[in-house]
Amino acid sequence: MDNLEFKTLTSAEFKDYRQMHKEKKYLLIDVRQASEYEQGHIPGAKLMPLTEVETKLFTLPPDRDLIFYCANGGRSQWAASLAGEAEVCDKSVYHLMGGMQAWEGKTLSGYPKVRIFDKDQTLEKLLATAMNLEKGAWRFYQHAISKFSDDPIRLTLEQVSIAEKAHAMLIYRIWKNFQPNPPPFDQVYQGLEGEILEGGHNFEETCRHLDAVRKHGCASVIDLAMTIEYSAFELYRTMAQRSENPDAQATFLSIAQAEKGHMRTLTRAISQCL
């Protein structure tokens, strides 16, 4: 599905695209690390690790389509968003869904999404659901931390985990205004099940997905985390647009920006995967 900054190509669509377009009409950009690129890459791809993308955006050709890919889609989604938002080219910006794994026909089985919000939800219900999503994200990072207890990226995972709980607290401060006798935050938070993450991903399925991608290395785990964070960014941006409450709108926009910060934090952590 396309969004505001870029379009998405499946592996099959990308193969059709290559047959229909001459190479001089587009630039294929691999945003993985050099070591990943050296192990194998899509023919014709230019290497530009994600850690360099933001500083090199305006070195990209303005008169060609830009197509970003990574290991399984998380990093390239963020790179495409940066390029699209910065309007670095006059053509289209794409990201390759499933990344290199999809290109090689090795895509891991997906994990299902569920519908998060009903269009007629009240703001009170919307806020309660948002808190529950933050609890789900926190639970996911706690699970990831347990899998990387002796790995340098543990500190990054802990940092993002703490931020997810802080987001829930921000939402709680608005939600409690709708309650006659609101219980304290810790009581509310403890009672949340957190069975769904932002983007509609089921907690248990996402944890199984994490366990599966671990065999592909640390960078693939970061790809997954970035997919979750980008879904959260889009979710809160949409919630801000839908809300008519100024406080809620400001909170959702603030959290959306914080999710972008999470993606930058995860980007910096990629260097620890080498």
Side-chain angles (χ1 to χ4, degrees):
M1 181 177 64
D2 300 342
N3 69 22
L4 296 177
E5 287 88 22
F6 60 87
K7 301 176 182 179
T8 297
L9 289 173
T10 65
S11 179
E13 289 170 340
F14 176 51
K15 290 174 181 177
D16 290 341
Y17 176 97
R18 282 164 65 96
Q19 291 181 347
M20 298 171 59
H21 295 77
K22 295 180 179 179
E23 287 194 19
K24 65 180 180 180
K25 295 294 185 181
Y26 67 92
L27 179 63
L28 180 61
I29 305 161
D30 188 324
V31 299
R32 299 175 300 160
Q33 296 297 91
S35 58
E36 297 174 279
Y37 182 88
E38 291 167 1
Q39 291 174 7
H41 57 270
I42 300 174
K46 171 185 174 65
L47 175 64
M48 183 180 287
L50 185 59
T51 52
E52 302 176 8
V53 167
E54 205 158 3
T55 58
K56 293 184 176 180
L57 279 176
F58 290 96
T59 68
L60 298 172
D63 58 349
R64 299 162 69 180
D65 286 348
L66 303 177
I67 305 174
F68 295 88
Y69 79 92
C70 59
N72 55 42
R75 284 174 282 176
S76 62
Q77 190 169 231
W78 174 231
S81 177
L82 290 171
E85 186 176 33
E87 298 181 344
V88 299
C89 76
D90 300 323
K91 302 297 183 179
S92 297
V93 177
Y94 299 91
H95 109 98
L96 179 59
M97 183 186 300
M100 191 68 181
Q101 291 180 33
W103 174 257
E104 295 178 333
K106 300 177 181 177
T107 306
L108 292 164
S109 57
Y111 42 110
K113 294 185 178 182
V114 299
R115 184 176 180 180
I116 300 175
F117 300 113
D118 293 326
K119 64 179 181 179
D120 297 325
Q121 270 188 324
T122 65
L123 179 58
E124 178 184 1
K125 179 62 176 176
L126 193 71
L127 293 166
T129 302
M131 279 194 291
N132 199 33
L133 295 175
E134 292 296 338
K135 177 67 174 287
W138 177 83
R139 292 181 66 208
F140 167 77
Y141 283 111
Q142 290 295 304
H143 175 77
I145 289 167
S146 72
K147 299 294 183 178
F148 290 90
S149 57
D150 299 320
D151 194 286
I153 68 165
R154 175 188 173 91
L155 293 177
T156 297
L157 297 172
E158 289 178 342
Q159 181 181 349
V160 179
S161 172
I162 291 170
E164 301 294 356
K165 188 171 183 177
H167 289 177
M169 186 175 291
L170 283 174
I171 298 166
Y172 165 83
R173 290 173 183 169
I174 303 174
W175 173 85
K176 71 178 182 180
N177 294 327
F178 293 87
Q179 312 302 315
N181 295 295
F185 169 75
D186 287 342
Q187 181 179 335
V188 172
Y189 194 73
Q190 185 176 359
L192 296 172
E193 295 182 0
E195 73 283 3
I196 302 295
L197 284 68
E198 301 103 333
H201 302 121
N202 176 274
F203 169 74
E204 296 292 343
E205 291 290 340
T206 306
C207 288
R208 283 194 284 271
H209 199 72
L210 170 67
D211 294 340
V213 301
R214 284 180 64 205
K215 65 184 180 183
H216 297 291
C218 167
S220 290
V221 173
I222 290 180
D223 271 351
L224 174 57
M226 293 190 76
T227 297
I228 293 168
E229 295 303 322
Y230 193 85
S231 293
F233 164 66
E234 285 199 312
L235 173 69
Y236 285 115
R237 183 169 59 176
T238 300
M239 289 168 68
Q241 294 170 347
R242 286 182 52 185
S243 177
E244 297 180 358
N245 180 297
D247 290 337
Q249 186 178 62
T251 296
F252 293 148
L253 285 175
S254 175
I255 296 176
Q257 289 301 310
E259 301 294 357
K260 293 175 73 173
H262 292 179
M263 287 183 277
R264 290 188 170 94
T265 296
L266 290 165
T267 296
R268 291 191 295 270
I270 293 173
S271 61
Q272 302 171 5
C273 296
L274 300 179

